[in-house]
């Protein structure tokens, strides 16, 4: 702002003040940054405009005060400048500017980053265009046997992908087990092998019965036989009949109403506008309450309550490696204090068990 400009606060009736301002404008005086209120009008003019105001104030029965030093804060938060200060960071906050995979394993990080590119998750993408988290998680965890879960975090303009590794399974020490074959502990259709030693006997997609040889621990080298022992896992699809008994009334927690809290961070002079961390003028925080609910099991609740509850029980019993692919309710009986029945599940799991190699083999 030039020094010859002054800030005027004009008092009087609205009609009279507007007529006086029209005179200032007709005489080609500088005239800008107008702020209206109920009792006054604040604006900026030059000394030529000030002379016109002094010459005509009695004519229109108006009074005014003069501020020779311009208030830069008033100028910053007036008109389009204040709108731009809010609008630019708000528009920037609608986009994802940084996509990071937070893990200490470089090989997992590289695979996840490659899958993110295939899913078109990249910087400068609108947050609303991000795919559903369940769909994205399913795509990223495909063929990732080492991962048990993937967590997502949206921190301002940053989208963080956090892979969580499966818990390590303690493997029985080799010296505690003599060389063995792998045999089927139940019947099923083989889907894939994961052997560290030994040789396949059963073929892929073949049906095996309980006790059938899946992999042998004896290898043939020319005319000789070498006992090395079979180690690893053989996965197959099989049907499992599961009997259950549930209390008629049970309690569980559900997500309540989602509340959104908005926090306004006042723009501070001296902030580096090129730093993306300073763009979060408006921050949002989602809060979801949990409510406890009592449910009384009745006829017709099989798909909504009974099957999911029993499925969770079976998953805990089988372990994290097992995949429950399908289920079918065989029977259900509602008694006074409990519900009993049977469900058949289609499970994919390791069906191999160790059978020691006898001396006669």
């Amino acid at each position: 702002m030039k020094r010859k400009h002054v800030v005027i606060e004009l008092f009087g009736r609205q009609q009279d003040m507007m007529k006086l301002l029209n005179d200032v404008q007709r005489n080609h005086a500088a005239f800008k940054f107008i702020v209206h209120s109920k009792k006054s009008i604040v604006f900026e003019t030059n000394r030529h405009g000030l002379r016109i105001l002094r010459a005509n104030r009695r004519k229109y029965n108006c009074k005014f005060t003069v501020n020779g030093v311009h208030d830069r804060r008033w100028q910053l938060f007036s008109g389009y400048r204040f709108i731009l200060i809010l609008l630019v960071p708000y528009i920037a906050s609608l986009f994802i500017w940084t996509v990071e995979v937070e893990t200490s394993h470089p090989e997992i990080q590289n695979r996840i980053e490659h899958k993110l590119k295939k899913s078109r998750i990249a910087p400068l993408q609108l947050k609303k265009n991000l795919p559903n988290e369940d769909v994205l998680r399913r795509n990223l965890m495909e063929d990732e046997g080492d991962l048990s879960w993937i967590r997502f975090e949206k921190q301002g303009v940053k989208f963080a992908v956090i892979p969580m590794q499966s818990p390590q399974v303690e493997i029985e020490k080799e010296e505690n087990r003599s060389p063995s074959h792998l045999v089927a502990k139940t019947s099923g259709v083989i889907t894939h092998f994961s052997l560290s030693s030994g040789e396949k006997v059963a073929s892929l997609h073949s049906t095996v019965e309980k006790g059938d040889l899946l992999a042998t621990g004896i290898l043939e080298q020319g005319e000789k036989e070498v006992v090395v022992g079979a180690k690893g896992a053989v996965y197959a699809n099989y049907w499992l009949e599961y009997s259950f008994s549930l209390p008629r009334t049970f309690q569980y927690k559900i997500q309540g109403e989602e509340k959104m809290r908005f926090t306004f961070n006042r723009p501070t002079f001296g902030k580096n506008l090129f730093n993306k961390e300073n763009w979060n003028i408006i921050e949002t925080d989602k809060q979801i309450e949990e409510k406890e609910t009592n449910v009384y099991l009745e006829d017709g609740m099989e798909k909504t309550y009974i099957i999911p509850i029993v499925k969770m029980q079976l998953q805990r019993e089988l372990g994290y490696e097992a995949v429950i692919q399908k289920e079918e309710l065989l029977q259900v009986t509602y008694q006074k204090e409990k519900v009993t029945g049977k469900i058949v599940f289609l499970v994919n799991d390791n069906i191999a068990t160790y059978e020691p190699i006898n001396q006669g083999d």
Side-chain angles (χ1 to χ4, degrees):
M1 185 199 73
K2 297 180 180 180
R3 290 185 178 180
K4 62 180 181 180
H5 284 203
V6 291
V7 176
I8 305 295
E9 185 172 8
L10 186 63
F11 300 91
R13 294 193 310 168
Q14 288 289 336
Q15 294 179 347
D16 295 336
M17 289 190 293
M18 294 305 299
K19 291 178 181 178
L20 180 55
L21 292 179
N22 288 334
D23 277 355
V24 175
Q25 192 173 17
R26 279 196 298 267
N27 285 275
H28 306 290
F31 190 61
K32 55 184 178 179
F33 300 129
I34 305 173
V35 178
H36 291 263
S37 66
K38 293 182 179 179
K39 296 182 180 180
S40 64
I41 298 176
V42 180
F43 59 95
E44 181 181 320
T45 187
N46 55 13
R47 297 197 179 278
H48 175 56
L50 181 59
R51 287 194 296 270
I52 297 172
L53 287 171
R54 286 172 175 166
N56 294 282
R57 59 183 175 179
R58 290 187 178 85
K59 176 181 177 182
Y60 297 104
N61 195 24
C62 293
K63 298 179 180 180
F64 63 87
T65 59
V66 180
N67 295 320
V69 179
H70 187 74
D71 190 345
R72 291 184 179 271
R73 289 177 299 174
W74 173 83
Q75 179 180 353
L76 179 63
F77 290 102
S78 65
Y80 68 91
R81 288 180 174 82
F82 182 64
I83 295 176
L84 287 176
I85 288 176
L86 293 179
L87 192 60
V88 172
Y90 173 73
I91 294 175
S93 67
L94 298 177
F95 292 84
I96 293 295
W97 290 84
T98 305
V99 179
E100 292 185 2
V101 180
E102 298 181 0
T103 178
S104 58
H105 300 273
E107 65 280 359
I108 295 178
Q109 181 176 352
N110 291 336
R111 293 198 302 266
I112 296 299
E113 287 177 349
H114 179 69
K115 291 180 179 180
L116 286 172
K117 289 180 181 179
K118 290 179 63 177
S119 300
R120 298 181 180 179
I121 307 299
L124 298 180
Q125 179 180 2
L126 280 170
K127 291 181 179 179
K128 68 176 184 178
N129 292 339
L130 290 174
N132 180 271
E133 287 190 1
D134 292 335
V135 175
L136 181 58
R137 184 180 292 109
R138 192 180 308 117
N139 294 338
L140 297 180
M141 292 187 66
E142 186 177 358
D143 300 326
E144 296 289 343
D146 295 339
L147 301 182
S148 61
W149 192 251
I150 291 181
R151 189 158 54 89
F152 303 106
E153 288 186 0
K154 298 174 186 176
Q155 304 168 347
V157 295
K158 173 183 173 182
F159 182 67
V161 180
I162 307 172
M164 304 176 69
Q165 285 192 287
S166 303
Q168 296 294 325
V169 180
E170 295 184 1
I171 301 175
E172 186 179 357
K173 294 182 180 180
E174 295 182 12
E175 57 267 23
N176 294 336
R177 184 179 61 243
S178 59
S180 305
H181 298 299
L182 291 180
V183 298
K185 59 184 176 183
T186 185
S187 59
V189 179
I190 297 177
T191 58
H192 61 283
F193 291 85
S194 180
L195 300 178
S196 58
S197 67
E199 185 177 353
K200 301 176 185 177
V201 174
S203 58
L204 196 63
H205 305 308
S206 63
T207 302
V208 295
E209 301 293 334
K210 181 178 181 180
D212 286 353
L213 185 62
L214 303 175
T216 179
I218 302 175
L219 301 182
E220 294 184 0
Q221 294 183 352
E223 296 180 354
K224 296 182 180 180
E225 291 183 345
V226 181
V227 178
V228 296
K231 302 170 189 175
V234 181
Y235 293 88
N237 290 336
Y238 63 92
W239 290 97
L240 175 63
E241 185 177 298
Y242 189 80
S243 299
F244 66 88
S245 178
L246 300 174
R248 194 73 186 267
T249 303
F250 67 96
Q251 189 178 74
Y252 73 102
K253 293 182 179 180
I254 61 173
Q255 289 186 349
E257 182 180 356
E258 180 181 292
K259 296 182 179 179
M260 185 75 73
R261 186 178 66 181
F262 294 90
T263 303
F264 177 76
N265 299 323
R266 185 178 62 182
T268 304
F269 297 101
K271 274 189 176 181
N272 182 7
L273 295 180
F274 295 97
N275 185 354
K276 292 179 288 186
E277 299 298 328
N278 295 331
W279 293 356
N280 295 331
I281 292 181
I282 302 176
E283 294 184 358
T284 59
D285 180 24
K286 290 183 180 180
Q287 296 180 343
I288 302 176
E289 298 179 351
E290 288 189 346
K291 298 180 180 180
E292 291 187 351
T293 303
N294 293 321
V295 175
Y296 182 75
L297 295 177
E298 296 179 332
D299 188 15
M301 293 185 173
E302 293 81 11
K303 291 185 178 180
T304 54
Y305 287 97
I306 295 176
I307 292 179
I309 293 172
V310 177
K311 188 175 180 179
M312 290 176 60
Q313 290 180 350
L314 178 61
Q315 188 72 68
R316 286 196 295 265
E317 294 178 11
L318 295 176
Y320 74 94
E321 287 186 339
V323 178
I324 300 175
Q325 299 177 333
K326 188 178 178 181
E327 64 277 337
E328 184 176 344
L329 182 64
L330 294 181
Q331 66 178 58
V332 59
T333 303
Y334 293 90
Q335 302 176 9
K336 184 176 181 180
E337 295 182 355
K338 62 181 180 179
V339 179
T340 58
K342 292 182 181 180
I343 302 177
V344 173
F345 292 95
L346 179 61
V347 180
N348 182 269
D349 197 6
N350 176 26
I351 65 168
T353 186
Y354 292 97
E355 181 179 89
I357 297 175
N358 296 325
Q359 295 294 329
D361 289 345

